[in-house]
Amino acid sequence: MSVLEIRNVISGYDELQILWGVDMGIEEGQLTALVGSNGAGKTTLLRTIVGQLKPWQGQIIFQGQDVSTLPPYTKAEMGLIMVPEGRQLFTDMSVMENLEMGATPRRARAGASQRLEMIFELFPRLKERLSQKSGTMSGGEQQMLAVARGIMSDPVVLMIDELSLGLAPVLTLDLFQALRKLRREGITILLVEQNVRMALKVSDYAYVLAKGKVEMNGLSHEIEQDEAVRTTYLGI
């Protein structure tokens, strides 16, 4: 069952069209990867889904409701949460304060303590640094905190933009392992990721975006093994 549907979405910036009729379905409880080369329109699609950009045409259906024109804060209250590229933490605030900011949606307040315990199991490093200012942490630790803040919002769908960008391989592996655990917890995830190999290995289903259009979609392991797709669209 699709918890999030993107139907013939056309979008862009000012007069610059980036997306050309994108259709996608995000299944509940699955980890879905959105992959493609730089400039394919992946981040533009996430920004359109979350409400930072309004679609010029098409519909975004979330839990059976048309949310195409709703603002980001309303979508966040409904459980449509994005971890943005570049983390965008409150760098002068502590780790704990950042986590508390994640739990500001009304829907997130009741189970905040349980989600906090889950975060400490996923990322023990954050538990050790609760009073540390987030701006003084390493890039990998900041990315852990960004994902954790998203979890604190009690997501129905957690969208993550460029999880591993700029991180050392060992930290990248830790973060992907955390995604697998989140999926096992039943959290629906839409992952935009430059590390195509890792994205396809951890995900259930994948969409390949090229020049603002979905060129292929299918089970991740099948896309990973398709030589034509690997060469033409993914560069692997």
Side-chain angles (χ1 to χ4, degrees), residues 44-98:
T44 300
L45 179 58
L46 288 194
R47 289 175 177 168
T48 304
I49 293 170
V50 84
Q52 293 175 354
L53 297 172
K54 289 187 178 179
W56 300 356
Q57 184 177 309
Q59 291 179 302
I60 298 162
I61 308 297
F62 181 53
Q63 294 185 305
Q65 180 179 343
D66 188 341
V67 298
S68 306
T69 59
L70 295 181
Y73 66 87
T74 302
K75 292 182 181 180
E77 287 286 353
M78 297 171 71
L80 196 54
I81 304 296
M82 184 166 78
V83 178
E85 180 183 348
R87 301 180 276 276
Q88 298 183 23
L89 299 172
F90 300 100
T91 54
D92 287 332
M93 296 171 65
S94 70
V95 168
M96 189 64 201
E97 288 168 334
N98 271 273

Side-chain angles (χ1 to χ4, degrees), residues 77-147:
E77 287 286 353
M78 297 171 71
L80 196 54
I81 304 296
M82 184 166 78
V83 178
E85 180 183 348
R87 301 180 276 276
Q88 298 183 23
L89 299 172
F90 300 100
T91 54
D92 287 332
M93 296 171 65
S94 70
V95 168
M96 189 64 201
E97 288 168 334
N98 271 273
L99 293 173
E100 289 170 345
M101 290 297 291
T104 51
R106 283 189 296 273
R107 58 175 283 114
R109 294 170 196 168
S113 58
Q114 292 94 325
R115 284 190 298 280
L116 195 59
E117 287 304 315
M118 181 174 72
I119 285 164
F120 291 158
E121 289 182 18
L122 273 176
F123 305 119
R125 217 173 296 193
L126 295 183
K127 188 174 183 180
E128 299 167 2
R129 291 163 168 74
L130 284 180
S131 60
Q132 183 175 341
K133 283 190 176 182
S134 65
T136 66
M137 301 169 75
S138 71
E141 291 166 345
Q142 288 185 5
Q143 189 64 287
M144 290 176 188
L145 180 54
V147 172

